Amino acid sequence: MLTKIIKNAYAGFKLDNVQPADPFELADPEVKAFADEERQKRAKSKGKEVNAKDRMFDEMRKILSEDELNLVLDKFRQERRIPPKVAILGKAGVGKTTTLNSVFNAQWKTSHTIVGTTQAQMKEFSLSSGGTLAVVDLPGYGRSVAEDREYEQIYQEIIPSCDLVFLVLQANTRDFADDQEMIMKISEWLRDFPTPER
């Protein structure tokens, strides 16, 4: 599931250079035929439209000098080269690092004497669809009030700079109080950061 999320997140950030496989190839013949018809209808109507990015730069050409426009284009290209960043967090011991290792075939280590990581760790992974994804493995919460206060500073510093936050929950427990509190805190922190910092 995370692989699909990542592929879709990557496609959302890098639409110009991603050609994902057609999921309708796996569908029943009737569903595939319906999807093909709908695509043809939409292609006819979209053929006349100019893509939003081109439209935006056309409007900028009307008000910016050539040098100013080139600066904007350079900045735009630089931003496009930055890989999407995903923060992964959850309670201490829930299996965040194990999930990362499984999804990305990585070898991040956790200590058997200390539950998980106690600081943020970042790594870039190559995606099967092309490009890279930066993943930040955050320390787990919920072991002690003192640790949670310390880790909250790390969360507040890192989470607003991420494009996606992936919260790992333990499915076989009914104790989601810490997780619910964390979701509310993340929402509160992100109110001041409507778009990712770069």
Side-chain angles (χ1 to χ4, degrees):
M1 182 173 108
L2 182 56
T3 304
K4 291 293 180 192
I5 291 169
I6 290 164
K7 283 182 182 177
N8 289 333
Y10 179 78
F13 290 102
K14 310 284 184 178
L15 280 176
D16 291 347
N17 58 9
V18 172
Q19 298 296 324
D22 185 357
F24 287 103
E25 293 299 324
L26 303 173
D28 293 334
E30 304 86 36
V31 174
K32 185 177 179 319
F34 175 77
D36 288 341
E37 278 180 39
E38 288 299 311
R39 285 177 175 165
Q40 288 172 2
K41 288 178 195 173
R42 292 178 186 187
K44 287 177 186 173
S45 64
K46 278 187 179 178
K48 298 172 186 172
E49 291 180 15
V50 179
N51 130 2
K53 181 179 71 173
D54 293 338
R55 216 176 23 235
M56 176 184 69
F57 284 119
D58 286 343
E59 290 298 315
M60 287 180 162
R61 276 187 187 86
K62 295 175 186 175
I63 55 174
L64 297 177
S65 71
E66 193 66 29
D67 288 341
E68 291 170 326
L69 183 62
N70 285 334
L71 286 172
V72 172
L73 285 168
D74 286 345
K75 182 66 176 169
F76 180 79
R77 289 182 193 114
Q78 287 173 4
E79 289 293 315
R80 300 269 303 164
R81 284 192 289 272
I82 297 171
K85 190 193 296 186
V86 176
I88 184 166
L89 80 158
K91 280 186 185 174
V94 77
K96 298 178 308 298
T97 306
T98 303
T99 301
L100 285 174
N101 286 338
S102 176
V103 170
F104 296 108
N105 194 23
Q107 300 300 315
W108 269 355
K109 303 228 186 302
T110 55
S111 168
H112 294 291
T113 57
I114 299 171
V115 179
T117 182
T118 57
Q119 57 188 2
Q121 301 176 55
M122 187 159 118
K123 183 170 170 106
E124 287 190 4
F125 294 94
S126 294
L127 299 172
S128 60
S129 57
T132 57
L133 182 74
V135 177
V136 185
D137 187 8
L138 294 169
Y141 54 83
R143 285 198 308 155
S144 76
V145 173
E147 277 186 358
D148 285 354
R149 270 194 224 112
E150 180 185 336
Y151 295 159
E152 274 190 30
Q153 293 176 346
I154 297 171
Y155 303 155
Q156 288 181 32
E157 181 182 323
I158 291 174
I159 287 176
S161 71
C162 294
D163 300 299
L164 179 72
V165 177
F166 185 70
L167 180 66
V168 178
L169 302 175
Q170 186 170 342
N172 64 352
T173 183
R174 293 179 186 268
D175 180 18
F176 294 112
D178 288 337
D179 301 312
Q180 290 170 334
E181 183 180 346
M182 182 54 62
I183 290 169
M184 291 173 65
K185 285 180 180 180
I186 291 170
S187 298
E188 183 181 315
W189 299 331
L190 293 179
R191 271 190 217 120
D192 298 332
F193 297 95
T195 55
E197 294 177 337
R198 290 288 189 205

